[in-house]
Amino acid sequence: MNKHKDQRYILALREGSYGLLEELYQNHAPQISQWVQRNNGSADDAQDVFQETILALHQKAADPTFILTCPIGALIFQISKNKWLSQLRKKNRDAEVRIAEEERYKYEGSILPTLEEIEETEIQHQKLDQTFKQLSEICQKLLRLLAEGVSSSEAATILGMSNANTVYRRKNACGERWRALYLALN
Amino acid sequence: MMNENDYKTIDQYLQGALSDEQEAMFKKRLAEEEELAAAFAIKQQMASYLKAKSQQPALEAEMTVLGQRYFKTSKPTKAKLIKMPFLRIAISVAAALVLLMLVWNPFNSGDLYTQFAEHPPLALIEKSISSSLIQQAEQAYANKEYETVYTVLASILENNPGNPQMKLAMGISALELGKLETAQQIFSELANGTSGLKSYGQWYLALSYIKQGKDEKAKLILEKLNNDEAALKKKAAKLIELLQ
């Protein structure tokens, strides 16, 4: 599958540089807003759904192996649509939905594999979240610090551990605990 | 069978610390050894999760601003108020920026920046430089026209050593414009120097880390803040508390 030119949005999300984010809002917020409002939602609902969609894309973007192979607009539309539909289902209002597809979002190729990938990552993310919170305070702090790019020796200072080696061993222990909790959930 | 070395190798691979040869060998093993591949997949997911989580506050803050701009809501936007033990943010209907308290507690810092980024008035004086340029920068700073401040000061400081006030004003402008690397360079210089604005350098360096979601780094600096500026020290104490 070939990398789509919209991969640049994924890269921007991955790097945490949100300059391109406004483009996504500019180009796609109006259509999503319209669709949600035509399907029993408010502008507020549309804003929430759009935000959740971007978050889902951001989570997927954090996977360094992920490559976008379809137009991002089509993907955004499908994700938003699915999220809104599942919300309506919860409120039993999906019978009133007109699943009129936005003409400009009809995409020739298959988006389905990407959609499934993203959904899978969302579920993984939730489980990792849940189990992370079960770790000790110091484990959470340690893993967070190291993920922020702080060096092991810096982390040792911040957390009052003897040295970088201690940090490394503690990190492994915390990681193992987290892994065990996570696997137990599956 | 997996051994301790395997876990170490996985870590090194994820950090890009393997040589080309080692990396090629590792990838081959991933394709052949199921257990290794499974352990690797989980580690990869955890790394991605932590990365996304650390970026989340800044992303959510950005989305709040953009949401206001691109979704016309008929009533004042409801903020998702999450129960935080110490802070409840009031929503200002007229405000362009809505302050949201974010769900994820430990990484919560996206809107803390906005709360604490109240910039001090700065008088920019430099004998050797044309007063009209300085006046322009000063005026722009007072009007929060950070693009102008940045451009004017950058050009002045290119050919002049300038003074700490100018550097701080330029750093603040860079920070407001999102030019974080430049901002941090300037603030570090001030923080490590001996000028009267040393504490401000430290304070703003911490704020810039908060903007990036690097709470722990920010806390480290705030805790070491010099005692000479009582007002800053007080703000720092408050911020440290909020970062717990």
Side-chain angles (χ1 to χ4, degrees):
Chain A
M1 265 270 182
N2 287 322
K3 173 165 75 180
H4 194 275
K5 64 176 165 70
D6 285 345
Q7 172 74 352
R8 63 200 180 102
Y9 292 111
I10 301 297
L11 289 178
L13 285 173
R14 187 176 295 165
E15 282 162 31
S17 86
Y18 304 124
L20 286 185
L21 192 57
E22 174 142 28
E23 266 184 51
L24 288 181
Y25 270 77
Q26 220 163 17
N27 296 337
H28 307 292
Q31 283 74 22
I32 304 300
S33 190
Q34 218 171 50
W35 188 88
V36 167
Q37 290 184 72
R38 266 198 265 122
N39 285 287
N40 237 303
S42 65
D44 262 353
D45 291 326
Q47 188 176 343
D48 286 346
V49 158
F50 195 82
Q51 195 158 330
E52 284 170 40
T53 300
I54 300 293
L55 274 176
L57 281 176
H58 175 244
Q59 284 168 14
K60 191 68 220 175
D63 174 357
T65 65
F66 176 65
I67 296 178
L68 187 66
T69 54
C70 62
I72 203 155
L75 192 55
I76 287 178
F77 180 70
Q78 288 297 334
I79 297 176
S80 297
K81 196 185 87 176
N82 289 345
K83 283 187 183 294
W84 181 239
L85 288 182
S86 82
Q87 278 194 44
L88 286 181
R89 237 172 264 133
K90 284 192 200 143
K91 305 179 195 173
N92 273 323
R93 283 162 38 196
D94 54 334
E96 304 158 60
V97 170
R98 298 174 304 150
I99 320 211
E101 297 277 314
E102 280 282 342
E103 200 48 55
R104 59 172 266 187
Y105 288 129
K106 290 220 166 87
Y107 173 62
E108 285 309 306
S110 176
I111 271 188
L112 204 50
T114 308
L115 278 180
E116 285 176 348
E117 245 194 278
I118 291 180
E119 226 165 277
E120 204 188 301
T121 301
E122 272 188 293
I123 295 173
Q124 274 167 15
H125 202 100
Q126 271 165 26
K127 290 189 182 158
L128 286 166
D129 214 35
Q130 196 181 333
T131 46
F132 185 77
K133 284 171 178 159
Q134 294 175 318
L135 294 174
S136 70
E137 187 73 44
I138 195 128
C139 270
Q140 291 188 38
K141 268 188 167 190
L142 178 57
L143 292 174
R144 255 190 287 137
L145 268 181
L146 294 176
E148 278 177 16
V150 169
S151 75
S152 297
S153 36
E154 259 183 299
T157 315
I158 296 173
L159 296 168
M161 294 183 182
S162 3
N163 54 43
N165 246 324
T166 318
V167 166
Y168 186 72
R169 279 185 279 120
R170 199 55 185 274
K171 166 191 145 202
N172 287 342
C174 293
E176 268 312 298
R177 171 110 185 96
W178 192 9
R179 207 174 102 94
L181 288 169
Y182 179 66
L183 288 175
L185 265 193
N186 284 333
Chain B
M1 270 313 315
M2 296 270 306
N3 58 46
E4 176 156 336
N5 248 338
D6 287 333
Y7 285 108
K8 196 166 182 188
T9 314
I10 291 180
D11 270 347
Q12 287 172 320
Y13 174 74
L14 284 174
Q15 284 160 14
L18 292 179
S19 72
D20 286 341
E21 204 187 306
Q22 290 172 315
E23 206 175 288
M25 213 165 62
F26 181 71
K27 285 191 175 160
K28 187 162 180 279
R29 288 188 62 199
L30 277 183
E32 295 168 359
E33 294 171 44
E34 217 179 284
E35 206 184 342
L36 186 68
F40 173 72
I42 293 189
K43 271 270 164 140
Q44 172 92 274
Q45 286 164 30
M46 286 175 168
S48 304
Y49 162 83
L50 287 171
K51 177 169 187 197
K53 243 11 210 213
S54 74
Q55 293 173 331
Q56 200 168 316
L59 175 61
E60 287 182 335
E62 189 66 30
M63 288 200 288
T64 304
V65 178
L66 292 174
Q68 284 280 280
R69 210 176 287 166
Y70 292 98
F71 285 90
K72 287 179 184 63
T73 52
S74 51
K75 48 184 156 75
T77 314
K78 285 182 300 177
K80 291 198 182 84
L81 287 172
I82 310 299
K83 275 200 217 99
M84 297 292 288
F86 37 74
L87 211 49
R88 198 167 178 277
I89 309 278
I91 296 102
S92 154
V93 174
L97 259 181
V98 174
L99 297 178
L100 275 189
M101 218 42 186
L102 305 167
V103 184
W104 177 249
N105 198 330
F107 294 99
N108 184 338
S109 59
D111 61 337
L112 274 180
Y113 169 74
T114 320
Q115 255 186 286
F116 280 83
E118 219 183 75
H119 305 309
L122 285 176
L124 310 172
I125 319 165
E126 189 64 27
K127 297 175 286 216
S128 55
I129 298 168
S130 114
S131 60
S132 63
L133 260 185
I134 302 261
Q135 249 175 34
Q136 190 185 6
E138 227 181 73
Q139 185 77 314
Y141 180 84
N143 293 336
K144 300 188 196 259
E145 289 159 8
Y146 297 114
E147 190 75 66
T148 309
V149 183
Y150 186 79
T151 318
V152 175
L153 286 180
S155 68
I156 291 179
L157 290 170
E158 223 181 325
N159 302 314
N160 289 282
N163 58 40
Q165 277 76 10
M166 283 185 181
K167 298 204 175 116
L168 183 60
M170 182 166 161
I172 292 174
S173 306
L175 184 57
E176 286 287 332
L177 293 171
K179 299 183 201 279
L180 289 175
E181 222 184 282
T182 310
Q184 284 171 347
Q185 230 169 19
I186 297 177
F187 297 141
S188 295
E189 214 190 289
L190 284 170
N192 295 325
T194 52
S195 74
L197 293 181
K198 182 186 170 89
S199 310
Y200 279 95
Q202 291 173 309
W203 167 253
Y204 274 102
L205 189 55
L207 275 191
S208 74
Y209 284 134
I210 298 218
K211 213 174 187 204
Q212 289 178 310
K214 297 189 172 165
D215 288 5
E216 298 298 340
K217 249 181 154 160
K219 242 204 281 183
L220 183 61
I221 298 178
L222 290 171
E223 280 159 4
K224 295 209 223 125
L225 202 79
N226 270 13
N227 285 312
D228 54 349
E229 289 282 337
L232 274 188
K233 195 78 188 176
K234 220 167 144 195
K235 271 200 199 178
K238 201 168 173 211
L239 191 44
I240 292 174
E241 218 184 275
L242 289 177
L243 287 174
Q244 300 294 15

